Amino acid sequence: MGDEQLLQNDVIVTRKAELESWLVRATQTAVNWGRKYSLFGYPFVTACCAMEYMAVNSPRYDLAQFGAEYPRFSPRQADLLWIVGTISQKQAPILRRVYEQMCDPKWVIAFGVCASTGGFYDNYTTVQGADQVIPVDVYIPGCPPRPEQVLDGLRLLQDKIQREHGRLVGTR
Amino acid sequence: MSHIVLERLRRKFGDAILDTHSQHGNDTALVEPTKLSQIAEFLRDDRELQFDLPIDCTAVDYLGKRDVRFEVVYHLCSTKRRHRLRLKVQVTEADPSCPSLTAVWPGMNWHEREAWDLYGIRFTGHPNLKRVLMYEEFVGHPLRKDYPIDRRQPLIEMRPVAQVPTQKHPPAELLNKP
């Protein structure tokens, strides 16, 4: 039922419906809490931003403290796709394939300005932003971004995951 | 020391060496394309020169600046005699072909493929003249000055460019209803 219909019609909420919706909300909140602190990242690393990705993963900045510790090198075991670096036209089909291999629910972070918009590579060989190939949840600017910026981007994604609804099961 | 190479080239090939200069110690020779292979073999085999290391092969597009549009540039190095040399060959737009030096230095193989890929210089006698950087589906040669700077040739269909998701508001007349 759409918002318009809800506003047009008087809606009668029974105690049973209220209880059910409360149960769904509570379950969703709990599931979202679990999801946002157990992100398994797949690093799709194509360029120099990789250095900064390693810095974020290493003990000084410690990605693990936010629950996104473990990079999985198979997209089938990951639910967070890090696009780290420039996406060339040659890479675009590979990126889409990797994304399609990941199981739902899945999220995507564009790491650095090249992955977000193509950066200063406005030329014949570069895709002008990974979002032309697959949907992206969080964009982290910077060339390369500071580790603090990356952690901020990760927290943004976690907030987004916590706010999600209607994704208890199934696809987005 | 720096003039030894150009001196020997001039003495051996005479008219086939169209122009030479050695600015800041960079020996450069503009040579006749038909004699290029012989010159290359001489440079490699001569006891005084022994150019054994092919550094680079690339091209320059002088569109609208010169009568002859392309120039193929070879950079050579002699690790035994400590010489460096830059060879240039002029190539016309109508027939952008140039003899391949892969037979003389196998290391020229990929450099020539790159010049073919990005500038469209056909190296005659090259064993495997395919694109090396761009994909096979790519049409044209992107570093030519007349390649449009904003032409994209995506391999897969692109999604529409980043649309900011708009908030779903009910229409205003519904909101104002008492």
Side-chain angles (χ1 to χ4, degrees), chain A residues 46-115:
Chain A
T46 54
C48 35
C49 273
M51 293 305 168
E52 224 54 35
Y53 178 78
M54 292 171 209
V56 179
N57 244 334
S58 56
R60 189 178 175 91
Y61 292 97
D62 195 16
L63 204 55
Q65 65 184 313
F66 301 107
E69 177 178 22
Y70 201 28
R72 304 303 309 204
F73 293 104
S74 161
R76 294 174 199 282
Q77 297 172 351
D79 50 13
L80 168 61
L81 177 58
W82 297 87
I83 308 172
V84 185
T86 325
I87 304 300
S88 65
Q89 301 284 8
K90 241 176 166 175
Q91 281 285 336
I94 303 168
L95 176 61
R96 177 170 288 173
R97 189 160 181 175
V98 163
Y99 177 75
E100 283 167 357
Q101 282 178 353
M102 289 167 64
C103 296
D104 267 309
K106 54 190 171 186
W107 299 276
V108 180
I109 286 184
F111 187 117
V113 75
C114 289

Side-chain angles (χ1 to χ4, degrees), chain B residues 109-168:
Chain B
N109 191 321
W110 281 21
H111 292 307
E112 291 181 343
R113 280 177 66 184
E114 187 187 0
W116 155 253
D117 191 356
L118 303 180
Y119 288 95
I121 310 289
R122 272 196 308 278
F123 291 91
T124 49
H126 191 284
N128 182 27
L129 197 62
K130 289 195 303 187
R131 289 188 184 277
V132 70
L133 294 174
M134 305 307 294
Y135 33 98
E136 282 300 320
E137 294 87 344
F138 197 85
V139 179
H141 303 283
L143 288 193
R144 285 191 173 192
K145 295 292 180 206
D146 54 2
Y147 184 88
I149 197 165
D150 53 354
R151 186 195 284 171
R152 305 279 190 272
Q153 303 187 26
L155 275 173
I156 52 172
E157 198 188 335
M158 292 281 146
R159 302 172 68 239
V161 184
Q163 290 167 343
V164 180
T166 47
Q167 288 264 289
K168 271 189 194 158

Side-chain angles (χ1 to χ4, degrees), chain B residues 57-68:
Chain B
C57 162
T58 185
V60 188
D61 185 355
Y62 288 106
L63 180 67
K65 298 215 165 105
R66 292 187 186 176
D67 295 337
V68 183

